[in-house]
């Protein structure tokens, strides 16, 4: 189930799903903050967070922030798994610190998914934007951890260097 607020991205995914004849695909257009209203307790086994905005200035907007994890815990099965695949060193560093501080079991941590030997079949799938980042020389990071509790979650209090390539406007990013 793909979840997004932007209809254009949903249309692109729906069109690709239809073209490939996929029958196990669905889309939900909503604010991510509302996600717990659409699933019952224990209904979801895994959550994939792929290439989200790192929200470098707004901790509570990061999709791996503790407020989101508490929300995911409302519908994730016990011992449910969270996957984060990102081109953002900032978000990856933040998530690693948050996972470590809250003692979530890490099942896999990779600092360059496309350097894995042998390649992982799921992690080697490249999105349109992922391919652009790779062509610019950026590595893709991945972490998979178990959300084994949502009580007393703590945000890391660390300084993280912002992603330099995010400081440009979208039109200027193509010139990097």
């Amino acid at each position: 189930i793909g979840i997004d607020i932007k209809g254009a991205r949903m249309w692109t995914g729906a069109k690709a799903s239809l073209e490939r004849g996929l029958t196990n695909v669905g889309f939900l257009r909503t604010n991510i903050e509302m996600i717990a209203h659409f699933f019952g307790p224990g209904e979801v086994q895994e959550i994939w967070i792929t290439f989200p905005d790192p929200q470098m200035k707004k901790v509570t907007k990061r999709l791996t922030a503790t407020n989101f994890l508490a929300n995911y815990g409302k519908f994730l099965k016990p011992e449910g798994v969270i996957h984060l695949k990102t081109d953002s060193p900032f978000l990856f560093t933040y998530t690693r610190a948050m996972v470590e501080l809250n003692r979530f079991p890490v099942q896999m941590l990779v600092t360059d998914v496309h350097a894995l030997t042998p390649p992982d079949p799921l992690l080697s799938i490249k999105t349109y934007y992922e391919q652009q980042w790779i062509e610019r020389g950026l590595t893709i990071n991945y972490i998979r951890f178990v959300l084994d509790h949502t009580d007393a979650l703590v945000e890391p209090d660390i300084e993280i260097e912002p992603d330099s390539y995010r400081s440009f406007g979208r039109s200027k990013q193509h010139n990097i």
Side-chain angles (χ1 to χ4, degrees):
I1 298 172
I3 300 171
D4 205 319
I5 191 63
K6 298 199 175 178
R9 287 194 286 234
M10 308 254 314
W11 180 86
T12 300
K15 182 178 180 224
S17 298
L18 286 171
E19 289 171 352
R20 295 181 183 151
L22 301 177
T23 58
N24 63 342
V25 178
F27 296 92
L28 178 59
R29 184 176 181 188
T30 188
N31 287 318
I32 193 66
E33 292 85 359
M34 302 295 293
I35 191 171
H37 296 281
F38 296 95
F39 300 100
E43 189 172 358
V44 175
Q45 185 172 334
E46 297 183 26
I47 297 173
W48 279 81
I49 304 169
T50 55
F51 302 97
D53 183 328
Q55 297 291 343
M56 291 182 278
K57 295 181 182 178
K58 301 176 187 172
V59 174
T60 60
K61 293 285 190 177
R62 295 177 195 151
L63 296 184
T64 57
T66 57
N67 58 304
F68 276 103
L69 296 181
N71 208 17
Y72 303 152
K74 294 175 184 175
F75 58 87
L76 204 56
K77 288 184 179 194
E79 306 297 311
V81 175
I82 307 281
H83 302 258
L84 171 68
K85 190 175 179 189
T86 183
D87 58 296
S88 168
F90 176 89
L91 183 61
F92 189 65
T93 300
Y94 163 80
T95 303
R96 285 179 68 175
M98 187 277 309
V99 165
E100 182 178 320
L101 183 62
N102 289 284
R103 298 190 162 131
F104 293 122
V106 174
Q107 293 181 334
M108 186 175 188
L109 187 142
V110 181
T111 56
D112 185 353
V113 299
H114 299 295
L116 284 175
T117 307
D120 182 285
L122 285 177
L123 296 181
S124 62
I125 296 169
K126 295 177 188 163
T127 67
Y128 172 79
Y129 292 103
E130 180 175 358
Q131 185 61 45
Q132 287 183 346
W133 295 127
I134 292 168
E135 288 170 4
R136 291 183 186 133
L138 298 172
T139 57
I140 307 302
N141 303 301
Y142 171 79
I143 186 169
R144 179 177 68 221
F145 62 95
V146 177
L147 188 64
D148 64 351
H149 68 280
T150 56
D151 57 306
L153 298 178
V154 180
E155 284 291 334
D157 185 20
I158 60 171
E159 290 290 323
I160 305 171
E161 186 172 332
D163 296 336
S164 60
Y165 64 93
R166 297 272 185 197
S167 63
F168 296 102
R170 292 280 182 202
S171 61
K172 291 184 180 179
Q173 285 181 356
H174 296 287
N175 298 326
I176 295 175

